[in-house]
Amino acid sequence: MAATVITIAVEKGGCGKTVTTSNLAYLMGDEGKKVLCLDTDPQGNLTFALTGGNAITSKAFANRSLYDMIDGFRYNTQTRDFIVESEYENVDLIPANDQTPRLSKRLEDLYTDAQRDYDRGDPKYLASDTDVLDYFLRQVKDEYDYILIDTQPSRDSLLLSNAIAAADYVLIPLKCDSFSEDSAFRTYVLCNEMRKSKTSRIKGVGVMLTMVQKSAASQDIRSDCRAKLGATLFNAEIAFGKSVDNSINRCVPVCYSARTQPPAKSYVAAYEELKKRLAELEEK
Ligand SMILES: Nc1ncnc2c1ncn2[C@@H]1O[C@H](COP(=O)(O)OP(=O)(O)O)[C@@H](O)[C@H]1O
Ligand SMILES: [Mg+2]
């Protein structure tokens, strides 16, 4: 069966996108599922997290990144050639490198070029300028159970639109504070707008609270989100804990280094709920 593509997105930075992506990827791989991660954030944090601390300037990723894959569209670049192994069993990665910041602009030009080439007889077809990432993922979907796309903090970028357009499911991490709540709602609206398009493949959107503390503020955000989002809000919540920063400093997912600590336990619960939600969508 083709991989389920899950995009982790919210327009604000620092809300737990990358920590969520790396931990879900690790848990999936640990369970024996084959996972491909895409690092679409120019900061390359996911690449760092999954490769034991390789920076985006690392020589290991020169000419082997998401940018190089997409940039070579006209020359028939193959997705497989850009996949590297992560430090974790069953988890592969298409890394970011120092070219990634140029990707959104590159996508604009690429679509224009692709249309012209297609009119001249090139068999490669892009349905729209948001179809590029999906075009590349289609080549390897049968080889994975899950494809996870980590995104950049942004509301209006062609790269983000590509990541959402390629998704079967969008997971929106909502850090427990009011600024982040607003940002998460805007991303939710964006996903629902994109979902209306005829070519959309999004089957579901979920919002998940992150960095939840035993405080009145976290309780307020929880109640407000439950009232506004209903069942879209995950029951599982990611607990705030120092073990997360410790794990980031050690360049490992917290579920790998501190499985018994509250953040890791909550990621295990979140993964279970995600699987349940995906299974329910399949049944529909
Ligand atoms: N559950 C958590 N508990 C404590 N700190 C966390 C937790 N999740 C994330 N953080 C902190 O928030 C920072 C931002 O998380 P990150 O996943 O990089 O956000 P984003 O990818 O949305 O920018 C991390 O560097 C870490 O310091
Ligand atoms: Mg990030």
Side-chain angles (χ1 to χ4, degrees), residues 5 28 34 46 60 73-74 76 83 95 115 119 134 136 138 141 151 158 161 172 180 186-187 196 203 225 240 259 279:
V5 181
M28 289 164 172
K34 288 281 291 167
L46 184 70
F73 175 85
R74 297 181 80 184
N76 299 319
I83 295 175
Q115 273 180 311
D119 290 342
D134 191 56
F136 281 104
R138 285 197 294 268
K141 271 192 180 175
T151 59
L158 201 43
S161 312
I172 301 175
S180 307
R186 278 195 295 273
T187 302
K196 284 184 210 145
K203 299 190 194 92
C225 287
F240 181 92
R259 188 85 176 221

Side-chain angles (χ1 to χ4, degrees), residues 162-173:
N162 266 268
I164 294 177
D168 297 298
Y169 194 86
V170 183
L171 182 59
I172 301 175

Side-chain angles (χ1 to χ4, degrees), residues 143-179:
E143 295 161 34
Y144 292 95
D145 296 297
Y146 295 106
I147 296 177
L148 300 185
I149 308 179
D150 187 20
T151 59
Q152 58 187 333
S154 133
R155 189 190 315 180
D156 185 20
S157 108
L158 201 43
L159 186 52
L160 176 66
S161 312
N162 266 268
I164 294 177
D168 297 298
Y169 194 86
V170 183
L171 182 59
I172 301 175
L174 192 160
K175 183 182 169 191
C176 255
D177 69 46
S178 296
F179 290 165

Side-chain angles (χ1 to χ4, degrees), residues 80-137:
R80 267 173 217 90
D81 296 335
F82 296 87
I83 295 175
V84 301
E85 287 183 351
S86 80
E87 291 282 301
Y88 305 97
E89 208 175 345
N90 299 319
V91 181
D92 290 341
L93 170 74
I94 298 181
N97 76 357
D98 51 4
Q99 301 287 353
T100 311
R102 297 167 55 201
L103 249 179
S104 271
K105 176 79 185 83
R106 183 69 195 95
L107 281 167
E108 281 172 33
D109 301 341
L110 187 142
Y111 180 58
T112 314
D113 293 345
Q115 273 180 311
R116 198 178 44 231
D117 291 350
Y118 183 73
D119 290 342
R120 288 178 184 158
D122 186 326
K124 294 196 298 301
Y125 175 71
L126 293 177
S128 72
D129 58 359
T130 58
D131 188 35
V132 185
L133 216 46
D134 191 56
Y135 165 86
F136 281 104
L137 293 184

Side-chain angles (χ1 to χ4, degrees), residues 12-19 211 238-241 244-245 248 263:
K12 196 172 183 331
C15 292
K17 288 181 288 296
T18 303
V19 171
M211 298 182 233
I238 307 306
F240 181 92
V244 172
D245 272 344
I248 291 172

